[in-house]
Amino acid sequence: MKKRSFPLPKVYQLLGTGPVVLVTTSANGKPNVMALAWHTVMDFAPPVVGLVVGEQSLSFKTLKATKECVINIPTAELAKQVVGCGNTSGRTVDKFTKFGLTPVAAVKVNPPLIAECYASLECRVVDVKLVAKYNFFILKVVKAWVDPTIREPQTIHQRGICEFMVAGKTITIPSKM
Amino acid sequence: MKKRSFPLPKVYQLLGTGPVVLVTTSANGKPNVMALAWHTVMDFAPPVVGLVVGEQSLSFKTLKATKECVINIPTAELAKQVVGCGNTSGRTVDKFTKFGLTPVAAVKVNPPLIAECYASLECRVVDVKLVAKYNFFILKVVKAWVDPTIREPQTIHQRGICEFMVAGKTITIPSKM
């Protein structure tokens, strides 16, 4: 695996741009993966993240039961697989096999990292108060992995059901913060 | 104003890419504005949005008291003003004057739209259950405005304190959804 351990207080830099992510879960040793666009960073250190997970999905059921997932961040070359993951259900398809995604064992949680994604965040659910009403899970990132050779990842960002904005150039603005 | 009324069920397309936003509030007729990167769409129709608002800010105090705000989406030409808004407090500075932002009356809420932003979403707070613990406000978008001439907005997306990714090209992937 090309990814290396990444400092937790910098995790907000990976998710703060708002990329589409691939969330892996695992039930009874069987991994699954879903595409997800609705998430937000909620705190820096320890990093806390909120995810809106469609309640019809197998991933919703598994995340609610196991309280563990891995948030993987894909880049543009995986866009077709991302849409494929969104178009299928883990109830009937082994998405790892179907879309050529390679599971890699995580360190702190049961669901796997996805080798093809440039970053992966091992997470544990810490608050389910808003799951019943908004399908909103709050998670703590307990371990982060990033491919250190990728400085400006071409992440994809949802504009519509099948439309994505691909990350462009990086600009730096002097700040007093 | 160049903006026109925009259908509420499509609001997720504006925020789903994860852009930095400028949030306006208004206390006793005095408007204020903050820069904010941590937000998520939570539902399609009516559109529901979650915002993490720094608890030290005047905007936090005003949003909690008035339960109204406007989420404005800036593009790259406003990047310096966005950082400026993040570096100053409405307690000591009139940010509209200092950063050359033009307030425009909203239709359904008291805080103003920002004329220079290509999109503006009038919002009312609908849930404050997670404000005490996570500074997380849940809002319903009650009116949306977009400049219809801007098809691929060069939104900015937070990579770090003073680093932003500028929105790149749009790609379309066939989907069965």
Side-chain angles (χ1 to χ4, degrees), chain A residues 13 16-17 38-40 87 127 130 134 157-159 162 164 166 168-171 173 175-177, chain B residues 13 17 38-41 87 127 130 134 157-159 162 164 166 168-171 173 175-177:
Chain A
Q13 298 177 353
T17 59
W38 293 355
H39 58 78
T40 181
N87 278 194
D127 198 317
L130 294 190
Y134 297 102
H157 301 251
Q158 194 182 35
R159 270 209 206 291
C162 53
F164 301 93
V166 180
K169 65 180 179 184
T170 299
I171 58 172
I173 309 282
S175 168
K176 289 182 288 182
M177 293 289 273
Chain B
Q13 298 177 351
T17 59
W38 293 356
H39 58 79
T40 181
V41 180
N87 278 195
D127 199 317
L130 295 189
Y134 297 102
H157 301 251
Q158 195 182 35
R159 270 210 205 293
C162 53
F164 301 93
V166 180
K169 65 180 178 184
T170 298
I171 58 172
I173 308 283
S175 166
K176 289 182 288 182
M177 293 289 272

mmCIF file of all heavy atoms in Angstrom, chain A residues 13 16-17 38-40 87 127 130 134 157-159 162 164 166 168-171 173 175-177, chain B residues 13 17 38-41 87 127 130 134 157-159 162 164 166 168-171 173 175-177:
data_model
loop_
_atom_site.group_PDB
_atom_site.id
_atom_site.type_symbol
_atom_site.label_atom_id
_atom_site.label_comp_id
_atom_site.label_asym_id
_atom_site.label_seq_id
_atom_site.Cartn_x
_atom_site.Cartn_y
_atom_site.Cartn_z
ATOM 1 N N GLN A 13 -8.038 18.840 6.776
ATOM 2 C CA GLN A 13 -7.556 19.294 5.469
ATOM 3 C C GLN A 13 -7.981 18.340 4.349
ATOM 4 O O GLN A 13 -8.085 18.746 3.186
ATOM 5 C CB GLN A 13 -6.027 19.412 5.480
ATOM 6 C CG GLN A 13 -5.510 20.428 6.484
ATOM 7 C CD GLN A 13 -3.983 20.476 6.547
ATOM 8 O OE1 GLN A 13 -3.301 19.654 5.930
ATOM 9 N NE2 GLN A 13 -3.467 21.430 7.288
ATOM 10 N N GLY A 16 -12.159 18.783 4.345
ATOM 11 C CA GLY A 16 -12.684 20.149 4.340
ATOM 12 C C GLY A 16 -13.021 20.684 2.965
ATOM 13 O O GLY A 16 -13.803 21.630 2.844
ATOM 14 N N THR A 17 -12.466 20.077 1.910
ATOM 15 C CA THR A 17 -12.810 20.525 0.558
ATOM 16 C C THR A 17 -14.158 19.951 0.099
ATOM 17 O O THR A 17 -14.670 20.362 -0.931
ATOM 18 C CB THR A 17 -11.742 20.092 -0.468
ATOM 19 O OG1 THR A 17 -11.642 18.674 -0.446
ATOM 20 C CG2 THR A 17 -10.382 20.715 -0.149
ATOM 21 N N TRP A 38 -22.537 13.638 1.355
ATOM 22 C CA TRP A 38 -23.001 14.561 2.394
ATOM 23 C C TRP A 38 -22.279 14.289 3.708
ATOM 24 O O TRP A 38 -22.647 13.400 4.474
ATOM 25 C CB TRP A 38 -24.514 14.419 2.575
ATOM 26 C CG TRP A 38 -25.294 14.877 1.370
ATOM 27 C CD1 TRP A 38 -24.819 15.463 0.231
ATOM 28 C CD2 TRP A 38 -26.718 14.801 1.191
ATOM 29 N NE1 TRP A 38 -25.838 15.743 -0.633
ATOM 30 C CE2 TRP A 38 -27.021 15.349 -0.077
ATOM 31 C CE3 TRP A 38 -27.759 14.313 1.991
ATOM 32 C CZ2 TRP A 38 -28.335 15.426 -0.569
ATOM 33 C CZ3 TRP A 38 -29.060 14.394 1.502
ATOM 34 C CH2 TRP A 38 -29.333 14.951 0.241
ATOM 35 N N HIS A 39 -21.259 15.070 3.990
ATOM 36 C CA HIS A 39 -20.493 14.933 5.234
ATOM 37 C C HIS A 39 -19.913 16.285 5.596
ATOM 38 O O HIS A 39 -19.818 17.185 4.763
ATOM 39 C CB HIS A 39 -19.377 13.891 5.063
ATOM 40 C CG HIS A 39 -18.417 14.212 3.958
ATOM 41 N ND1 HIS A 39 -17.418 15.155 4.090
ATOM 42 C CD2 HIS A 39 -18.315 13.749 2.683
ATOM 43 C CE1 HIS A 39 -16.734 15.235 2.952
ATOM 44 N NE2 HIS A 39 -17.266 14.398 2.071
ATOM 45 N N THR A 40 -19.512 16.415 6.853
ATOM 46 C CA THR A 40 -18.833 17.639 7.284
ATOM 47 C C THR A 40 -17.820 17.337 8.376
ATOM 48 O O THR A 40 -18.021 16.416 9.171
ATOM 49 C CB THR A 40 -19.835 18.694 7.817
ATOM 50 O OG1 THR A 40 -19.110 19.878 8.201
ATOM 51 C CG2 THR A 40 -20.602 18.203 9.040
ATOM 52 N N ASN A 87 -24.888 3.009 -7.483
ATOM 53 C CA ASN A 87 -25.972 2.401 -8.277
ATOM 54 C C ASN A 87 -26.311 0.969 -7.859
ATOM 55 O O ASN A 87 -27.216 0.365 -8.417
ATOM 56 C CB ASN A 87 -25.581 2.350 -9.758
ATOM 57 C CG ASN A 87 -25.814 3.667 -10.480
ATOM 58 O OD1 ASN A 87 -25.805 3.735 -11.674
ATOM 59 N ND2 ASN A 87 -26.023 4.746 -9.730
ATOM 60 N N ASP A 127 -21.730 9.319 18.336
ATOM 61 C CA ASP A 127 -23.003 9.955 18.694
ATOM 62 C C ASP A 127 -24.059 9.568 17.647
ATOM 63 O O ASP A 127 -23.840 9.745 16.449
ATOM 64 C CB ASP A 127 -22.823 11.479 18.737
ATOM 65 C CG ASP A 127 -23.932 12.183 19.501
ATOM 66 O OD1 ASP A 127 -25.114 11.813 19.320
ATOM 67 O OD2 ASP A 127 -23.622 13.104 20.272
ATOM 68 N N LEU A 130 -28.835 11.976 16.266
ATOM 69 C CA LEU A 130 -29.565 12.487 15.108
ATOM 70 C C LEU A 130 -29.730 11.435 14.004
ATOM 71 O O LEU A 130 -30.096 11.762 12.873
ATOM 72 C CB LEU A 130 -28.869 13.730 14.542
ATOM 73 C CG LEU A 130 -28.857 14.953 15.461
ATOM 74 C CD1 LEU A 130 -28.362 16.171 14.696
ATOM 75 C CD2 LEU A 130 -30.227 15.242 16.037
ATOM 76 N N TYR A 134 -32.379 12.334 11.112
ATOM 77 C CA TYR A 134 -31.665 12.875 9.950
ATOM 78 C C TYR A 134 -30.689 11.884 9.301
ATOM 79 O O TYR A 134 -29.921 12.269 8.424
ATOM 80 C CB TYR A 134 -30.884 14.132 10.354
ATOM 81 C CG TYR A 134 -31.741 15.277 10.834
ATOM 82 C CD1 TYR A 134 -31.869 15.553 12.197
ATOM 83 C CD2 TYR A 134 -32.422 16.088 9.931
ATOM 84 C CE1 TYR A 134 -32.656 16.612 12.645
ATOM 85 C CE2 TYR A 134 -33.205 17.149 10.369
ATOM 86 C CZ TYR A 134 -33.311 17.401 11.732
ATOM 87 O OH TYR A 134 -34.087 18.453 12.168
ATOM 88 N N HIS A 157 -16.333 16.061 -6.606
ATOM 89 C CA HIS A 157 -17.264 16.771 -5.719
ATOM 90 C C HIS A 157 -18.633 16.818 -6.390
ATOM 91 O O HIS A 157 -18.738 17.246 -7.535
ATOM 92 C CB HIS A 157 -16.730 18.188 -5.468
ATOM 93 C CG HIS A 157 -15.375 18.200 -4.838
ATOM 94 N ND1 HIS A 157 -15.157 18.574 -3.539
ATOM 95 C CD2 HIS A 157 -14.159 17.835 -5.340
ATOM 96 C CE1 HIS A 157 -13.868 18.441 -3.264
ATOM 97 N NE2 HIS A 157 -13.238 17.998 -4.335
ATOM 98 N N GLN A 158 -19.679 16.396 -5.665
ATOM 99 C CA GLN A 158 -20.973 16.188 -6.319
ATOM 100 C C GLN A 158 -21.698 17.481 -6.717
ATOM 101 O O GLN A 158 -22.046 18.304 -5.897
ATOM 102 C CB GLN A 158 -21.903 15.374 -5.426
ATOM 103 C CG GLN A 158 -23.100 14.871 -6.228
ATOM 104 C CD GLN A 158 -24.099 14.096 -5.401
ATOM 105 O OE1 GLN A 158 -24.324 14.389 -4.246
ATOM 106 N NE2 GLN A 158 -24.701 13.098 -6.011
ATOM 107 N N ARG A 159 -21.951 17.627 -8.033
ATOM 108 C CA ARG A 159 -22.777 18.730 -8.545
ATOM 109 C C ARG A 159 -24.199 18.269 -8.829
ATOM 110 O O ARG A 159 -25.114 19.077 -8.906
ATOM 111 C CB ARG A 159 -22.221 19.230 -9.885
ATOM 112 C CG ARG A 159 -21.231 20.315 -9.800
ATOM 113 C CD ARG A 159 -21.286 21.188 -11.053
ATOM 114 N NE ARG A 159 -20.010 21.831 -11.273
ATOM 115 C CZ ARG A 159 -19.514 22.791 -10.487
ATOM 116 N NH1 ARG A 159 -20.171 23.200 -9.435
ATOM 117 N NH2 ARG A 159 -18.335 23.312 -10.749
ATOM 118 N N CYS A 162 -25.239 12.591 -11.460
ATOM 119 C CA CYS A 162 -24.139 11.973 -12.202
ATOM 120 C C CYS A 162 -23.117 13.017 -12.674
ATOM 121 O O CYS A 162 -22.320 12.756 -13.563
ATOM 122 C CB CYS A 162 -24.671 11.166 -13.376
ATOM 123 S SG CYS A 162 -25.772 12.126 -14.432
ATOM 124 N N PHE A 164 -19.987 15.648 -11.563
ATOM 125 C CA PHE A 164 -18.997 15.925 -10.528
ATOM 126 C C PHE A 164 -18.082 17.062 -10.946
ATOM 127 O O PHE A 164 -17.718 17.183 -12.114
ATOM 128 C CB PHE A 164 -18.125 14.695 -10.257
ATOM 129 C CG PHE A 164 -18.916 13.502 -9.816
ATOM 130 C CD1 PHE A 164 -19.357 12.572 -10.739
ATOM 131 C CD2 PHE A 164 -19.231 13.315 -8.490
ATOM 132 C CE1 PHE A 164 -20.102 11.466 -10.341
ATOM 133 C CE2 PHE A 164 -19.986 12.229 -8.080
ATOM 134 C CZ PHE A 164 -20.410 11.296 -9.014
ATOM 135 N N VAL A 166 -14.325 18.306 -10.643
ATOM 136 C CA VAL A 166 -13.016 17.751 -10.317
ATOM 137 C C VAL A 166 -12.155 18.861 -9.709
ATOM 138 O O VAL A 166 -12.116 19.982 -10.244
ATOM 139 C CB VAL A 166 -12.326 17.183 -11.572
ATOM 140 C CG1 VAL A 166 -10.963 16.596 -11.214
ATOM 141 C CG2 VAL A 166 -13.203 16.126 -12.233
ATOM 142 N N GLY A 168 -9.629 21.563 -8.835
ATOM 143 C CA GLY A 168 -8.702 22.315 -9.667
ATOM 144 C C GLY A 168 -7.468 22.744 -8.890
ATOM 145 O O GLY A 168 -7.037 22.066 -7.959
ATOM 146 N N LYS A 169 -6.909 23.880 -9.288
ATOM 147 C CA LYS A 169 -5.645 24.355 -8.708
ATOM 148 C C LYS A 169 -5.804 24.769 -7.242
ATOM 149 O O LYS A 169 -6.917 25.025 -6.766
ATOM 150 C CB LYS A 169 -5.143 25.543 -9.522
ATOM 151 C CG LYS A 169 -6.061 26.746 -9.444
ATOM 152 C CD LYS A 169 -5.564 27.931 -10.256
ATOM 153 C CE LYS A 169 -6.569 29.087 -10.147
ATOM 154 N NZ LYS A 169 -6.241 30.247 -10.951
ATOM 155 N N THR A 170 -4.687 24.840 -6.532
ATOM 156 C CA THR A 170 -4.682 25.307 -5.146
ATOM 157 C C THR A 170 -4.185 26.749 -5.104
ATOM 158 O O THR A 170 -3.210 27.095 -5.779
ATOM 159 C CB THR A 170 -3.763 24.420 -4.278
ATOM 160 O OG1 THR A 170 -4.272 23.082 -4.310
ATOM 161 C CG2 THR A 170 -3.715 24.903 -2.838
ATOM 162 N N ILE A 171 -4.867 27.597 -4.345
ATOM 163 C CA ILE A 171 -4.407 28.972 -4.155
ATOM 164 C C ILE A 171 -4.134 29.208 -2.674
ATOM 165 O O ILE A 171 -4.735 28.561 -1.808
ATOM 166 C CB ILE A 171 -5.425 30.018 -4.668
ATOM 167 C CG1 ILE A 171 -6.794 29.859 -3.973
ATOM 168 C CG2 ILE A 171 -5.593 29.919 -6.190
ATOM 169 C CD1 ILE A 171 -7.787 30.977 -4.292
ATOM 170 N N ILE A 173 -3.875 32.245 0.239
ATOM 171 C CA ILE A 173 -4.196 33.636 0.576
ATOM 172 C C ILE A 173 -3.569 33.918 1.940
ATOM 173 O O ILE A 173 -3.816 33.158 2.883
ATOM 174 C CB ILE A 173 -5.723 33.843 0.683
ATOM 175 C CG1 ILE A 173 -6.447 33.306 -0.550
ATOM 176 C CG2 ILE A 173 -6.047 35.308 0.957
ATOM 177 C CD1 ILE A 173 -6.390 34.163 -1.766
ATOM 178 N N SER A 175 -3.028 34.838 5.584
ATOM 179 C CA SER A 175 -4.021 34.896 6.661
ATOM 180 C C SER A 175 -3.321 35.185 7.977
ATOM 181 O O SER A 175 -2.181 34.783 8.183
ATOM 182 C CB SER A 175 -4.754 33.556 6.749
ATOM 183 O OG SER A 175 -5.507 33.480 7.940
ATOM 184 N N LYS A 176 -4.021 35.869 8.859
ATOM 185 C CA LYS A 176 -3.456 36.143 10.190
ATOM 186 C C LYS A 176 -3.789 35.050 11.191
ATOM 187 O O LYS A 176 -3.362 35.104 12.331
ATOM 188 C CB LYS A 176 -4.012 37.478 10.701
ATOM 189 C CG LYS A 176 -3.467 38.690 9.961
ATOM 190 C CD LYS A 176 -4.024 39.984 10.539
ATOM 191 C CE LYS A 176 -5.486 40.164 10.188
ATOM 192 N NZ LYS A 176 -6.069 41.421 10.669
ATOM 193 N N MET A 177 -4.581 34.051 10.764
ATOM 194 C CA MET A 177 -5.027 33.010 11.708
ATOM 195 C C MET A 177 -3.859 32.108 12.099
ATOM 196 O O MET A 177 -3.068 31.696 11.288
ATOM 197 C CB MET A 177 -6.144 32.176 11.096
ATOM 198 C CG MET A 177 -7.427 32.940 10.873
ATOM 199 S SD MET A 177 -8.288 33.328 12.401
ATOM 200 C CE MET A 177 -9.259 31.826 12.599
ATOM 201 N N GLN B 13 -27.378 20.719 -5.068
ATOM 202 C CA GLN B 13 -26.354 20.801 -6.118
ATOM 203 C C GLN B 13 -25.374 21.951 -5.861
ATOM 204 O O GLN B 13 -24.239 21.926 -6.328
ATOM 205 C CB GLN B 13 -27.011 21.000 -7.489
ATOM 206 C CG GLN B 13 -27.916 19.845 -7.887
ATOM 207 C CD GLN B 13 -28.630 20.088 -9.215
ATOM 208 O OE1 GLN B 13 -28.581 21.176 -9.773
ATOM 209 N NE2 GLN B 13 -29.300 19.062 -9.722
ATOM 210 N N THR B 17 -20.905 20.217 -3.411
ATOM 211 C CA THR B 17 -19.478 20.170 -3.758
ATOM 212 C C THR B 17 -18.602 20.567 -2.574
ATOM 213 O O THR B 17 -17.388 20.407 -2.645
ATOM 214 C CB THR B 17 -19.159 21.116 -4.933
ATOM 215 O OG1 THR B 17 -19.512 22.449 -4.564
ATOM 216 C CG2 THR B 17 -19.904 20.714 -6.203
ATOM 217 N N TRP B 38 -17.260 24.290 7.221
ATOM 218 C CA TRP B 38 -17.769 23.004 7.714
ATOM 219 C C TRP B 38 -19.291 22.967 7.674
ATOM 220 O O TRP B 38 -19.968 23.471 8.568
ATOM 221 C CB TRP B 38 -17.279 22.771 9.140
ATOM 222 C CG TRP B 38 -15.790 22.571 9.228
ATOM 223 C CD1 TRP B 38 -14.902 22.512 8.198
ATOM 224 C CD2 TRP B 38 -15.015 22.399 10.426
ATOM 225 N NE1 TRP B 38 -13.625 22.315 8.677
ATOM 226 C CE2 TRP B 38 -13.664 22.242 10.027
ATOM 227 C CE3 TRP B 38 -15.331 22.359 11.789
ATOM 228 C CZ2 TRP B 38 -12.633 22.060 10.957
ATOM 229 C CZ3 TRP B 38 -14.301 22.179 12.708
ATOM 230 C CH2 TRP B 38 -12.967 22.018 12.292
ATOM 231 N N HIS B 39 -19.806 22.360 6.622
ATOM 232 C CA HIS B 39 -21.259 22.250 6.461
ATOM 233 C C HIS B 39 -21.562 21.000 5.647
ATOM 234 O O HIS B 39 -20.697 20.463 4.962
ATOM 235 C CB HIS B 39 -21.821 23.486 5.770
ATOM 236 C CG HIS B 39 -21.227 23.755 4.406
ATOM 237 N ND1 HIS B 39 -21.622 23.071 3.280
ATOM 238 C CD2 HIS B 39 -20.237 24.598 4.013
ATOM 239 C CE1 HIS B 39 -20.922 23.488 2.248
ATOM 240 N NE2 HIS B 39 -20.062 24.414 2.652
ATOM 241 N N THR B 40 -22.815 20.554 5.716
ATOM 242 C CA THR B 40 -23.242 19.424 4.898
ATOM 243 C C THR B 40 -24.705 19.560 4.517
ATOM 244 O O THR B 40 -25.493 20.106 5.285
ATOM 245 C CB THR B 40 -23.048 18.072 5.628
ATOM 246 O OG1 THR B 40 -23.472 16.998 4.751
ATOM 247 C CG2 THR B 40 -23.875 17.968 6.903
ATOM 248 N N VAL B 41 -25.038 19.096 3.323
ATOM 249 C CA VAL B 41 -26.446 18.908 2.977
ATOM 250 C C VAL B 41 -26.958 17.742 3.828
ATOM 251 O O VAL B 41 -26.233 16.781 4.090
ATOM 252 C CB VAL B 41 -26.602 18.569 1.477
ATOM 253 C CG1 VAL B 41 -28.080 18.383 1.124
ATOM 254 C CG2 VAL B 41 -25.987 19.660 0.605
ATOM 255 N N ASN B 87 -10.699 36.463 9.442
ATOM 256 C CA ASN B 87 -9.649 37.050 10.293
ATOM 257 C C ASN B 87 -10.143 38.164 11.204
ATOM 258 O O ASN B 87 -9.371 38.717 11.987
ATOM 259 C CB ASN B 87 -8.549 37.657 9.411
ATOM 260 C CG ASN B 87 -7.539 36.637 8.917
ATOM 261 O OD1 ASN B 87 -6.482 36.992 8.454
ATOM 262 N ND2 ASN B 87 -7.868 35.358 9.015
ATOM 263 N N ASP B 127 -33.288 22.940 14.199
ATOM 264 C CA ASP B 127 -32.894 21.982 15.228
ATOM 265 C C ASP B 127 -31.593 22.460 15.889
ATOM 266 O O ASP B 127 -30.612 22.738 15.197
ATOM 267 C CB ASP B 127 -32.682 20.597 14.592
ATOM 268 C CG ASP B 127 -32.719 19.465 15.610
ATOM 269 O OD1 ASP B 127 -32.129 19.620 16.702
ATOM 270 O OD2 ASP B 127 -33.336 18.429 15.320
ATOM 271 N N LEU B 130 -27.756 19.698 18.758
ATOM 272 C CA LEU B 130 -26.315 19.454 18.809
ATOM 273 C C LEU B 130 -25.500 20.738 18.886
ATOM 274 O O LEU B 130 -24.286 20.730 18.685
ATOM 275 C CB LEU B 130 -25.874 18.627 17.594
ATOM 276 C CG LEU B 130 -26.435 17.205 17.520
ATOM 277 C CD1 LEU B 130 -25.760 16.432 16.404
ATOM 278 C CD2 LEU B 130 -26.264 16.452 18.835
ATOM 279 N N TYR B 134 -21.614 20.295 19.832
ATOM 280 C CA TYR B 134 -20.802 20.324 18.601
ATOM 281 C C TYR B 134 -20.873 21.647 17.838
ATOM 282 O O TYR B 134 -20.358 21.733 16.722
ATOM 283 C CB TYR B 134 -21.253 19.197 17.661
ATOM 284 C CG TYR B 134 -21.054 17.802 18.214
ATOM 285 C CD1 TYR B 134 -22.120 17.076 18.739
ATOM 286 C CD2 TYR B 134 -19.790 17.203 18.216
ATOM 287 C CE1 TYR B 134 -21.948 15.794 19.242
ATOM 288 C CE2 TYR B 134 -19.613 15.923 18.711
ATOM 289 C CZ TYR B 134 -20.695 15.216 19.220
ATOM 290 O OH TYR B 134 -20.515 13.956 19.711
ATOM 291 N N HIS B 157 -12.591 25.868 -1.896
ATOM 292 C CA HIS B 157 -12.794 24.741 -0.991
ATOM 293 C C HIS B 157 -11.588 24.633 -0.059
ATOM 294 O O HIS B 157 -10.455 24.581 -0.525
ATOM 295 C CB HIS B 157 -12.960 23.464 -1.824
ATOM 296 C CG HIS B 157 -14.112 23.541 -2.786
ATOM 297 N ND1 HIS B 157 -15.263 22.824 -2.615
ATOM 298 C CD2 HIS B 157 -14.306 24.289 -3.903
ATOM 299 C CE1 HIS B 157 -16.119 23.117 -3.584
ATOM 300 N NE2 HIS B 157 -15.552 24.005 -4.384
ATOM 301 N N GLN B 158 -11.849 24.581 1.246
ATOM 302 C CA GLN B 158 -10.743 24.708 2.205
ATOM 303 C C GLN B 158 -9.803 23.492 2.274
ATOM 304 O O GLN B 158 -10.203 22.392 2.626
ATOM 305 C CB GLN B 158 -11.274 24.988 3.605
ATOM 306 C CG GLN B 158 -10.143 25.474 4.516
ATOM 307 C CD GLN B 158 -10.579 25.720 5.938
ATOM 308 O OE1 GLN B 158 -11.424 25.014 6.471
ATOM 309 N NE2 GLN B 158 -9.972 26.700 6.566
ATOM 310 N N ARG B 159 -8.528 23.737 1.950
ATOM 311 C CA ARG B 159 -7.479 22.714 2.121
ATOM 312 C C ARG B 159 -6.709 22.932 3.406
ATOM 313 O O ARG B 159 -6.048 22.019 3.907
ATOM 314 C CB ARG B 159 -6.460 22.820 0.976
ATOM 315 C CG ARG B 159 -6.767 21.986 -0.220
ATOM 316 C CD ARG B 159 -5.475 21.574 -0.907
ATOM 317 N NE ARG B 159 -5.701 21.298 -2.308
ATOM 318 C CZ ARG B 159 -6.426 20.272 -2.766
ATOM 319 N NH1 ARG B 159 -6.991 19.439 -1.942
ATOM 320 N NH2 ARG B 159 -6.577 20.105 -4.059
ATOM 321 N N CYS B 162 -5.109 28.807 5.160
ATOM 322 C CA CYS B 162 -5.076 29.856 4.130
ATOM 323 C C CYS B 162 -4.913 29.253 2.730
ATOM 324 O O CYS B 162 -4.544 29.932 1.788
ATOM 325 C CB CYS B 162 -3.971 30.863 4.429
ATOM 326 S SG CYS B 162 -2.380 30.108 4.687
ATOM 327 N N PHE B 164 -6.737 27.119 -0.425
ATOM 328 C CA PHE B 164 -8.024 26.723 -0.989
ATOM 329 C C PHE B 164 -7.819 26.001 -2.308
ATOM 330 O O PHE B 164 -6.934 26.344 -3.087
ATOM 331 C CB PHE B 164 -8.903 27.955 -1.243
ATOM 332 C CG PHE B 164 -9.179 28.755 -0.011
ATOM 333 C CD1 PHE B 164 -8.363 29.820 0.331
ATOM 334 C CD2 PHE B 164 -10.222 28.424 0.816
ATOM 335 C CE1 PHE B 164 -8.602 30.552 1.482
ATOM 336 C CE2 PHE B 164 -10.468 29.149 1.970
ATOM 337 C CZ PHE B 164 -9.653 30.217 2.305
ATOM 338 N N VAL B 166 -9.515 25.525 -5.874
ATOM 339 C CA VAL B 166 -10.495 26.204 -6.721
ATOM 340 C C VAL B 166 -11.170 25.154 -7.603
ATOM 341 O O VAL B 166 -10.488 24.304 -8.199
ATOM 342 C CB VAL B 166 -9.826 27.282 -7.599
ATOM 343 C CG1 VAL B 166 -10.872 27.984 -8.468
ATOM 344 C CG2 VAL B 166 -9.083 28.279 -6.735
ATOM 345 N N GLY B 168 -12.525 22.907 -10.357
ATOM 346 C CA GLY B 168 -12.049 22.664 -11.705
ATOM 347 C C GLY B 168 -13.184 22.273 -12.632
ATOM 348 O O GLY B 168 -14.346 22.662 -12.431
ATOM 349 N N LYS B 169 -12.851 21.461 -13.623
ATOM 350 C CA LYS B 169 -13.830 21.103 -14.656
ATOM 351 C C LYS B 169 -14.955 20.206 -14.111
ATOM 352 O O LYS B 169 -14.806 19.589 -13.055
ATOM 353 C CB LYS B 169 -13.119 20.376 -15.800
ATOM 354 C CG LYS B 169 -12.537 19.039 -15.360
ATOM 355 C CD LYS B 169 -11.812 18.298 -16.476
ATOM 356 C CE LYS B 169 -11.222 16.994 -15.930
ATOM 357 N NZ LYS B 169 -10.430 16.257 -16.924
ATOM 358 N N THR B 170 -16.053 20.137 -14.869
ATOM 359 C CA THR B 170 -17.172 19.256 -14.503
ATOM 360 C C THR B 170 -17.136 18.018 -15.392
ATOM 361 O O THR B 170 -16.899 18.113 -16.598
ATOM 362 C CB THR B 170 -18.518 19.987 -14.712
ATOM 363 O OG1 THR B 170 -18.537 21.129 -13.852
ATOM 364 C CG2 THR B 170 -19.695 19.092 -14.365
ATOM 365 N N ILE B 171 -17.318 16.848 -14.784
ATOM 366 C CA ILE B 171 -17.409 15.606 -15.559
ATOM 367 C C ILE B 171 -18.768 14.961 -15.325
ATOM 368 O O ILE B 171 -19.383 15.141 -14.269
ATOM 369 C CB ILE B 171 -16.284 14.599 -15.208
ATOM 370 C CG1 ILE B 171 -16.306 14.238 -13.710
ATOM 371 C CG2 ILE B 171 -14.918 15.142 -15.611
ATOM 372 C CD1 ILE B 171 -15.355 13.117 -13.326
ATOM 373 N N ILE B 173 -20.785 11.281 -15.462
ATOM 374 C CA ILE B 173 -20.649 9.820 -15.513
ATOM 375 C C ILE B 173 -22.048 9.257 -15.648
ATOM 376 O O ILE B 173 -22.917 9.582 -14.842
ATOM 377 C CB ILE B 173 -20.018 9.285 -14.198
ATOM 378 C CG1 ILE B 173 -18.725 10.031 -13.859
ATOM 379 C CG2 ILE B 173 -19.804 7.777 -14.296
ATOM 380 C CD1 ILE B 173 -17.526 9.650 -14.647
ATOM 381 N N SER B 175 -25.272 7.313 -15.050
ATOM 382 C CA SER B 175 -25.739 6.707 -13.803
ATOM 383 C C SER B 175 -27.128 6.140 -14.017
ATOM 384 O O SER B 175 -27.916 6.668 -14.811
ATOM 385 C CB SER B 175 -25.765 7.770 -12.693
ATOM 386 O OG SER B 175 -26.505 7.300 -11.590
ATOM 387 N N LYS B 176 -27.441 5.076 -13.298
ATOM 388 C CA LYS B 176 -28.786 4.503 -13.394
ATOM 389 C C LYS B 176 -29.747 5.116 -12.381
ATOM 390 O O LYS B 176 -30.916 4.790 -12.347
ATOM 391 C CB LYS B 176 -28.711 2.990 -13.154
ATOM 392 C CG LYS B 176 -28.062 2.213 -14.303
ATOM 393 C CD LYS B 176 -28.058 0.717 -14.019
ATOM 394 C CE LYS B 176 -27.046 0.386 -12.930
ATOM 395 N NZ LYS B 176 -26.975 -1.076 -12.654
ATOM 396 N N MET B 177 -29.232 6.006 -11.521
ATOM 397 C CA MET B 177 -30.066 6.572 -10.454
ATOM 398 C C MET B 177 -31.128 7.508 -11.027
ATOM 399 O O MET B 177 -30.882 8.312 -11.880
ATOM 400 C CB MET B 177 -29.201 7.323 -9.453
ATOM 401 C CG MET B 177 -28.281 6.447 -8.674
ATOM 402 S SD MET B 177 -29.150 5.409 -7.475
ATOM 403 C CE MET B 177 -29.190 6.537 -6.070
#
